[in-house]
Amino acid sequence: MVFPRQRNDSTLRKPRNWYLTIGAVLTACMLAFTALGLFWTPYAPSAMNGAARNAPPSAAHPFGCDAYGRDVLSRTLEGAGATLTIALAVLAVGAVCGLVVGALCGYYGGPADALVMRLCDSVAAFPSVLLALVVLAVTGPGRYNVIGALGVLFIPSFARLVRGEFLKYRDRDFVKSARLMGVGDMRIIFVHILPNLWPTLLSGLTIGFNNAVLAEASMSYLGIGVSPTEPSLGYTLKDAQGSLFTLPWCTVFPGLAAVLLILGVGLVGEGIRERMGAAS
């Protein structure tokens, strides 16, 4: 009697999503690093030490010191914490407002939807960083001005993303059934339809976070972002650009922190998109 060959369980396992795994680990490490800078630094970030001027990386100063004797590790920690805070605030403003606008436009449609989408198209036609530079040139630099300018400019992209998803779901059978049962529109929007959008929203949030980090760093590098009293990674790089070749550690470590943060979140977004594609 011939018994059927048993299938190896290893062949039934789904292939590991390496983008998501590596991205999650890298993002967790960078978030821990940046969160640490919000509460603790080995030295005062702005404290000058004449004896440690131009000091290379050592046990006392793992990232070295700049031309003023300031500890680069402390400044990188503080700058990363400031950049993370600003990026998350920008993302919150753009995502929440864009979600509400996109959900209402996608669900109800009509002339108001067409008007709002044309307005979003007009804003999206110009580079967001350029528009933010114009706004900050008028309002002046500062943390809250950066958050407000970038947050408003991020609304159209999230609104268009959410609207497109609502157009796909608003005529599904479960939505029609909810209407027949007398369920209110707000409950249908936020309880019945919105939970189906989380995979797409998570992917969009990762892209938005990276764009927010790059935009804030770019504006701070140009000198119209945060004020010098609260340096971000962009301002730290601007401050060290004159010593790029003589004191490379002053630019390498802050730049590496920004790159790793963006890379980790980008890999998470790519992993989410890969999982969504496999599920479909």
Side-chain angles (χ1 to χ4, degrees):
M1 183 175 180
V2 179
F3 292 96
R5 179 178 300 177
Q6 294 183 354
R7 184 176 298 178
N8 190 354
D9 291 340
S10 61
T11 61
L12 299 178
R13 296 175 183 172
K14 294 181 180 180
R16 182 180 293 273
N17 191 330
W18 288 108
Y19 287 119
L20 188 58
T21 302
I22 297 174
V25 172
L26 185 56
T27 300
C29 294
M30 291 308 302
L31 287 179
F33 178 82
T34 54
L36 180 64
L38 297 174
F39 305 101
W40 175 85
T41 55
Y43 300 92
S46 300
M48 301 182 185
N49 183 1
R53 291 179 64 251
N54 303 331
S58 62
H61 302 280
F63 287 6
C65 294
D66 61 10
Y68 300 99
R70 297 174 297 187
D71 183 62
V72 177
L73 173 59
S74 300
R75 293 182 62 78
T76 302
L77 281 168
E78 184 186 49
T83 296
L84 176 65
T85 303
I86 293 172
L88 290 177
V90 169
L91 198 62
V93 173
V96 172
C97 295
L99 188 151
V100 173
V101 172
L104 296 177
C105 290
Y107 184 79
Y108 290 108
D113 171 40
L115 178 62
V116 172
M117 287 302 104
R118 298 295 77 76
L119 179 61
C120 290
D121 292 340
S122 300
V123 175
F126 297 93
S128 58
V129 176
L130 180 60
L131 288 178
L133 290 175
V134 174
V135 174
L136 290 175
V138 176
T139 61
R143 178 182 297 231
Y144 297 107
N145 290 341
V146 171
I147 293 173
L150 290 178
V152 171
L153 294 176
F154 274 40
I155 293 176
S157 59
F158 284 102
R160 290 168 61 87
L161 175 65
V162 173
R163 175 183 177 271
E165 293 297 310
F166 264 79
L167 290 176
K168 295 192 303 184
Y169 283 100
R170 68 180 183 181
D171 293 325
R172 295 284 181 89
D173 290 339
F174 71 92
V175 176
K176 294 179 180 179
S177 299
R179 291 198 191 102
L180 291 175
M181 295 174 63
V183 179
D185 288 343
M186 292 299 103
R187 183 174 178 82
I188 292 176
I189 290 173
F190 294 104
V191 176
H192 293 268
I193 299 180
L194 186 59
N196 295 285
L197 273 62
W198 283 117
T200 303
L201 284 176
L202 287 175
S203 180
L205 287 172
T206 58
I207 297 174
F209 177 82
N210 285 347
N211 290 337
V213 172
L214 289 173
E216 187 280 326
S218 300
M219 289 185 294
S220 296
Y221 182 81
L222 294 174
I224 58 174
V226 298
S227 61
T229 57
E230 47 175 5
S232 67
L233 291 178
Y235 186 84
T236 303
L237 291 173
K238 173 183 179 297
D239 201 30
Q241 65 178 348
S243 56
L244 177 60
F245 297 104
T246 56
L247 305 174
W249 50 86
C250 294
T251 53
V252 168
F253 291 113
L256 186 61
V259 169
L260 291 178
L261 180 61
I262 292 173
L263 177 62
V265 176
L267 288 175
V268 170
E270 184 64 29
I272 293 174
R273 285 189 292 272
E274 184 177 288
R275 175 166 293 185
M276 289 172 55
S280 62

